[in-house]
Amino acid sequence: FQAEDGIRDVERSRGLGDVYKRQVFIEVIDPDQDEDQYRRERIDGFWDGGQNVPFGPVATEEFACGNEPYDLPRCVNQLLGTVNIFNDNPTTSLPHDATTLTINNVTGVKTEHAGWAKVYVLNPRSGHWAAVDLLETGMATGDFVSVICIDLTSIYSECVPTLGVLPGDTIIAVYQDPSNHSDSAWISIKVGIGGGATPPSQQSTTMFVDADGNEVQNYTDADLVYVKVTDPSHAGAQLLASAVEIGGVSYDLTPIAGATDEFITDGLDLGLTAGDEITATYTDPTDPSDTSSDTITIIASELSVTRFYAGPSPFSDTTTFGYVGSGIASVMSVEVRDASGHVVWSQELANVTGIVWDGTDESGNSLANGGYMYFITATDGTNTFSGSGWVFIDR
């Protein structure tokens, strides 16, 4: 973050790996706030007096362990929040007390809920927020860290102040220099179910898969299309509506059974044509900057072989046995024989268009230079094609 006075204010949220076990801390680096070279300085989380109206939340409701509704009227901005989870607002921050403050034509903000934060962490969805005092890490460092932890959600049976997060929420942290009001910085981070000592990546990935969620390299023109998205920031979500786009049409994603952050489309009948390419693009519904995509080629469902080949030939390292035509072989087999007709190597593979040979025999021993006959059979279960030819080793 680059502040208006040219001083770089940096905030880093730490430990957001698992919303059921983690808390949030912030760090601020502000060299020009280091006003006393001989002691560690402290920055209060609240303004003195009625400052910060355009930027800060206000506590119009007491924290009540999640019993308060999330659609309460918001002061100044609908995203700024109403519930200070620590209920520690100063009582003297006039003019924002019960005698003057009206919110959405409702007057009656409690005096003990007056006060505006200058350093705070906020969950805009729930309206929960907490002002954060900062303490310098050492004398003359200009590096400040929060002195308390803020729980994202509770894992305890008793009442615990929390930001009330759900998977997919975005929380923000805000800092404003108390001696230079134009010097401010903001940071945001998405919360997902994860674990470990460091936050998991929130970046999504997208791939074409089969009905079981396994990645595929091609579809045939008779296949249904499935798109799988992994997005840790939406772990636990039940629906990502219209989140995947293919050819200008949007499709929903639903969770994959047994996974926390993997989602899949229904089987899509797109009227595929052999030779086409299709691209699926995912856009995070709550973070448009997070996009990912995958592209795949469509091949013919019916196998058709014009001729077989081995290339390169001659070869020194490897050669590929393949065919000219269309479709994919559900079973393809190759047999290689020496000049006397003895089988020196063979292989059978499923769902391929080619088989690679490195010029060794069945035991892995390199064969002598010279010519070898190959015999190929390819089938899609209905149509079967066979062919033969010569391939030459020249090492």
Side-chain angles (χ1 to χ4, degrees):
F1 295 90
Q2 188 68 34
E4 293 182 14
D5 66 354
I7 299 300
R8 184 172 181 265
D9 291 334
V10 180
E11 301 171 358
R12 295 197 296 269
S13 295
R14 298 172 172 174
L16 292 180
D18 188 329
V19 300
Y20 295 108
K21 298 180 180 178
R22 295 293 182 179
Q23 300 82 35
V24 60
F25 303 84
I26 67 171
E27 178 181 16
V28 174
I29 299 174
D30 189 355
D32 74 353
Q33 182 54 33
D34 181 34
E35 298 171 350
D36 190 330
Q37 298 294 305
Y38 300 102
R39 66 175 181 176
R40 296 169 66 189
E41 298 182 41
R42 188 183 184 100
I43 300 176
D44 195 281
F46 289 96
W47 289 105
D48 296 326
Q51 305 179 72
N52 196 35
V53 174
F55 299 103
V58 63
T60 59
E61 301 291 332
E62 291 186 357
F63 175 75
C65 290
N67 295 324
E68 70 286 332
Y70 290 157
D71 58 352
L72 295 167
R74 308 280 179 99
C75 185
V76 180
N77 186 297
Q78 191 64 20
L79 295 178
L80 281 180
T82 58
V83 179
N84 178 1
I85 64 174
F86 296 131
N87 295 327
D88 60 349
N89 293 64
T91 60
T92 57
S93 289
L94 299 178
H96 305 294
D97 63 5
T99 63
T100 59
L101 183 57
T102 299
I103 302 175
N104 290 356
N105 298 319
V106 177
T107 301
V109 177
K110 299 176 183 178
T111 302
E112 63 267 24
H113 288 174
W116 294 82
K118 66 173 175 276
V119 186
Y120 59 89
V121 179
L122 164 70
N123 180 1
R125 181 194 58 78
S126 69
H128 287 195
W129 61 275
V132 181
D133 292 348
L134 302 176
L135 182 65
E136 196 170 13
T137 58
M139 293 187 298
T141 64
D143 187 353
F144 299 83
V145 295
S146 53
V147 297
I148 60 172
C149 64
I150 300 173
D151 286 315
L152 300 180
T153 192
S154 177
I155 60 172
Y156 308 102
S157 58
E158 64 270 20
C159 178
V160 176
T162 76
L163 293 179
V165 301
L166 295 175
D169 279 355
T170 296
I171 60 175
I172 66 171
V174 178
Y175 167 78
Q176 295 176 76
D177 187 326
S179 58
N180 179 2
H181 297 181
S182 66
D183 181 4
S184 62
W186 299 59
I187 194 171
S188 66
I189 192 167
K190 298 187 70 173
V191 181
I193 297 174
T198 57
S201 170
Q202 303 297 296
Q203 178 65 39
S204 64
T205 57
T206 298
M207 66 178 65
F208 287 104
V209 296
D210 60 21
D212 296 322
N214 302 309
E215 186 175 11
V216 297
Q217 300 304 314
N218 302 100
Y219 287 121
T220 74
D221 51 18
D223 287 336
L224 294 178
V225 171
Y226 296 84
V227 180
K228 182 173 78 171
V229 171
T230 303
D231 189 348
S233 70
H234 285 284
Q238 297 303 304
L239 175 67
L240 299 181
S242 302
V244 168
E245 181 268 328
I246 304 175
V249 180
S250 296
Y251 302 95
D252 296 343
L253 290 161
T254 55
I256 293 178
T260 60
D261 59 359
E262 294 181 345
F263 307 85
I264 194 170
T265 64
D266 291 335
L268 307 176
D269 186 355
L270 302 182
L272 303 176
T273 301
D276 287 350
E277 281 190 344
I278 57 172
T279 297
T281 301
Y282 166 76
T283 302
D284 186 328
T286 60
D287 181 9
S289 66
D290 179 10
T291 64
S292 54
S293 62
D294 192 19
T295 299
I296 200 166
T297 301
I298 310 305
I299 61 177
S301 57
E302 182 176 306
L303 180 64
S304 176
V305 175
T306 303
R307 62 180 178 86
F308 292 95
Y309 65 86
S313 180
F315 72 96
S316 59
D317 295 320
T318 62
T319 190
T320 298
F321 300 105
Y323 55 84
V324 176
S326 60
I328 188 169
S330 59
V331 178
M332 182 174 177
S333 61
V334 176
E335 187 177 86
V336 177
R337 301 181 182 184
D338 59 21
S340 65
H342 176 69
V343 175
V344 294
W345 182 85
S346 63
Q347 189 167 70
E348 181 177 285
L349 297 176
N351 300 318
V352 295
T353 58
I355 295 177
V356 177
W357 180 45
D358 62 1
T360 60
D361 62 17
E362 299 281 13
S363 301
N365 301 311
S366 294
L367 294 172
N369 289 347
Y372 296 83
M373 287 197 68
Y374 63 84
F375 300 85
I376 303 179
T377 298
T379 181
D380 61 6
T382 302
N383 304 290
T384 301
F385 302 86
S386 299
S388 61
W390 285 87
V391 62
F392 294 88
I393 300 175
D394 184 11
R395 301 187 191 277

